[in-house]
């Protein structure tokens, strides 16, 4: 992989930097972190601005409504938006970073035409209905059942840790469409549905997290009718479609956050120099090691994105290596932030305190670290499966 920038890429960076400098001052004030309706309006407004300027779905294929940009241009976009302090994808996370790419890769022409443009314009927000109370990261153990009734599935069950459910229009939903028996292993009887969140029978109960916001929710499904035309992929082939979704989630969805971690690290160093903590040689070594970790993660990100483009646009199992290490580095980064803050780390109003609390979830989100280690062991190292 050639890591040098071409003249076209440098021109792209220059145009983007100029647009950010002109646009960001026009943004309204950011809403309070706990104000999810306000955050939805803010994040969707930013997405609309990106869309109107030709930066929405930058790395999506053109026949899916994207810009067809190169992986390098995508990385430049992430670098420049983070460096400029532009809003993060926020409420659009599920739609833009894994539901949308999954539909682009696996959906029919009609499904792509229905769901992708509103995602790119910031008109519709998606949530993720994968995890269940008794299944956790073992997605193949899900129990939410969908029974075929004419031209619809009748769905009953429950989901948990459903990101952005309270403000979502659609849910990427995993359901069991075939019973588990000797002839049908549990991972072969699953289907991937797009479920409207305003359908009769859908109940959302927000969950307050340690950080004090209701980012997640329980979702209860009582005989919800979902049209068969909303199934992405073949019936009972949802496990394969899900692997595509998770590849995007683990492979590219956290890329922007790596850039954010580098920015936080620089801010920590400035704060430590200002409050005297920089005199602690142990802390300086700790921040230096984290800087090296972030640099390595960025190189791994470049390799993963480049490899995904080479193999057709879907990230490979290298995303599990990234997810495993990134989730640990993020926790270590905010632990270091607490050390820099000292006693102020107990003040919930201080910068980085809420981030430190939310960082605890990263070794669970998008598949636990144990799941990632199994993937690395079996699919990269070729080790035998555990019993």
């Amino acid at each position: 992989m050639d890591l040098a920038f071409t003249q076209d890429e440098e021109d792209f960076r220059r145009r983007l930097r100029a647009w950010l400098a002109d646009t960001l001052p026009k943004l309204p004030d950011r809403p309070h972190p706990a104000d999810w309706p306000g955050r939805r309006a803010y994040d969707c407004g930013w997405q609309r601005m990106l869309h109107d300027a030709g930066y929405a779905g930058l790395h999506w294929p053109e026949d899916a409504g994207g810009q067809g940009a190169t992986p390098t241009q995508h990385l430049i976009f992430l670098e420049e938006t983070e460096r400029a302090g532009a809003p993060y994808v926020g409420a659009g996370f599920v739609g833009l970073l894994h539901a949308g790419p999954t539909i682009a890769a696996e959906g029919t022409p009609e499904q792509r035409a229905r769901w992708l443009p509103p995602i790119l314009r910031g008109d519709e927000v998606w949530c993720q209905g994968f995890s269940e109370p008794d299944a956790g990261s073992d997605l193949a153990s899900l129990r939410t059942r969908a029974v075929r009734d004419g031209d619809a599935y009748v769905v009953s069950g429950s989901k948990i840790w459903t990101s952005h459910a309270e403000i979502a229009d659609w849910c990427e939903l995993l359901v069991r469409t075939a019973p588990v028996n000797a002839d049908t292993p549990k991972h072969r009887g699953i289907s991937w549905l797009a479920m409207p969140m305003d359908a009769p029978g859908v109940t959302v109960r927000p969950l307050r997290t340690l950080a004090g916001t209701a980012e997640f929710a329980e979702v209860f499904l009582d005989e919800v009718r979902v049209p068969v035309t909303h199934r992405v992929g073949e019936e009972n082939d949802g496990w394969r479609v899900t692997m595509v979704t998770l590849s995007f989630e683990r492979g590219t969805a956290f890329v922007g956050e790596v850039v954010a971690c580098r920015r936080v690290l620089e801010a920590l160093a400035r704060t430590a120099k200002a409050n005297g903590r920089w005199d602690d040689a142990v802390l300086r070594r700790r921040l230096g090691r984290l800087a090296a970790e972030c640099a390595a993660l960025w190189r791994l990100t470049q390799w993963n994105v480049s490899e995904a483009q080479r193999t057709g646009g879907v990230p490979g199992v290298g995303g599990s290596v990234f997810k495993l290490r990134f989730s640990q580095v993020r926790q270590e980064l905010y632990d270091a932030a607490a050390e820099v803050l000292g006693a102020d780390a107990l003040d919930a109003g201080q910068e980085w305190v809420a981030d430190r609390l939310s960082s605890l979830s990263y070794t669970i989100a998008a598949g636990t670290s144990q799941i990632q280690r199994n993937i690395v062991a079996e699919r990269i190292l070729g080790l035998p499966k555990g019993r």
Side-chain angles (χ1 to χ4, degrees), residues 116-175:
L116 298 184
I119 291 174
L120 291 174
R121 288 195 304 265
D123 291 343
E124 293 181 344
V125 170
W126 286 62
C127 63
Q128 186 181 56
F130 281 15
S131 297
E132 296 191 4
D134 296 323
S137 289
D138 183 10
L139 294 178
S141 294
L142 65 86
R143 296 179 180 178
T144 295
R145 185 171 300 279
V147 179
R148 185 80 174 260
D149 180 24
D151 60 357
Y153 291 105
V154 179
V155 181
S156 295
S158 65
K159 298 289 179 177
I160 197 166
W161 202 350
T162 307
S163 305
H164 308 150
E166 189 179 4
I167 56 168
D169 304 291
W170 293 90
C171 177
E172 53 173 11
L173 185 72
L174 294 187
V175 295

Side-chain angles (χ1 to χ4, degrees), residues 37-224:
R39 291 177 65 176
R40 171 183 166 132
Y42 183 87
D43 295 338
C44 289
W46 170 242
Q47 182 61 28
R48 175 60 68 90
M49 296 169 81
L50 290 173
H51 177 271
D52 292 347
Y55 292 115
L58 197 64
H59 59 301
W60 288 22
E62 291 179 279
D63 62 2
Q67 304 299 319
T70 66
T72 303
Q73 287 175 321
H74 183 212
L75 293 178
I76 290 172
F77 173 82
L78 294 171
E79 278 188 323
E80 292 299 325
T81 50
E82 183 57 38
R83 181 178 290 119
Y88 184 54
V89 67
F93 181 89
V94 174
L96 286 162
L97 300 183
H98 45 92
T102 300
I103 293 169
E106 298 289 337
T108 65
E110 292 77 15
Q111 291 171 338
R112 298 169 97 192
R114 167 60 188 87
W115 288 312
L116 298 184
I119 291 174
L120 291 174
R121 288 195 304 265
D123 291 343
E124 293 181 344
V125 170
W126 286 62
C127 63
Q128 186 181 56
F130 281 15
S131 297
E132 296 191 4
D134 296 323
S137 289
D138 183 10
L139 294 178
S141 294
L142 65 86
R143 296 179 180 178
T144 295
R145 185 171 300 279
V147 179
R148 185 80 174 260
D149 180 24
D151 60 357
Y153 291 105
V154 179
V155 181
S156 295
S158 65
K159 298 289 179 177
I160 197 166
W161 202 350
T162 307
S163 305
H164 308 150
E166 189 179 4
I167 56 168
D169 304 291
W170 293 90
C171 177
E172 53 173 11
L173 185 72
L174 294 187
V175 295
R176 181 160 298 288
T177 43
V180 177
N181 55 46
D183 298 327
T184 307
K186 60 183 182 180
H187 65 282
R188 291 184 182 167
I190 293 172
S191 296
W192 197 109
L193 304 180
M195 182 187 72
M197 290 298 287
D198 61 354
V202 178
T203 301
V204 177
R205 183 184 300 167
L207 295 171
R208 186 164 297 279
T209 69
L210 182 66
T213 69
E215 184 173 350
F216 309 118
E218 295 175 288
V219 177
F220 299 93
L221 309 168
D222 182 14
E223 298 189 344
V224 180

Side-chain angles (χ1 to χ4, degrees), residues 303-366:
W303 186 88
N304 280 337
V305 172
S306 179
E307 186 68 4
Q309 188 69 16
R310 188 185 68 80
T311 56
V314 178
V317 294
S320 289
V321 178
F322 170 83
K323 169 63 176 55
L324 178 63
R325 191 58 199 144
F326 167 71
S327 60
Q328 294 168 338
V329 168
R330 185 178 169 88
Q331 288 187 359
E332 293 167 9
L333 173 66
Y334 286 107
D335 284 346
E339 191 168 338
V340 170
L341 288 172
D344 287 342
L346 299 176
D347 181 353
Q350 282 284 339
E351 188 177 16
W352 304 318
V353 173
D355 290 320
R356 186 189 184 203
L357 295 176
S358 68
S359 74
L360 298 175
S361 69
Y362 274 66
T363 47
I364 301 173

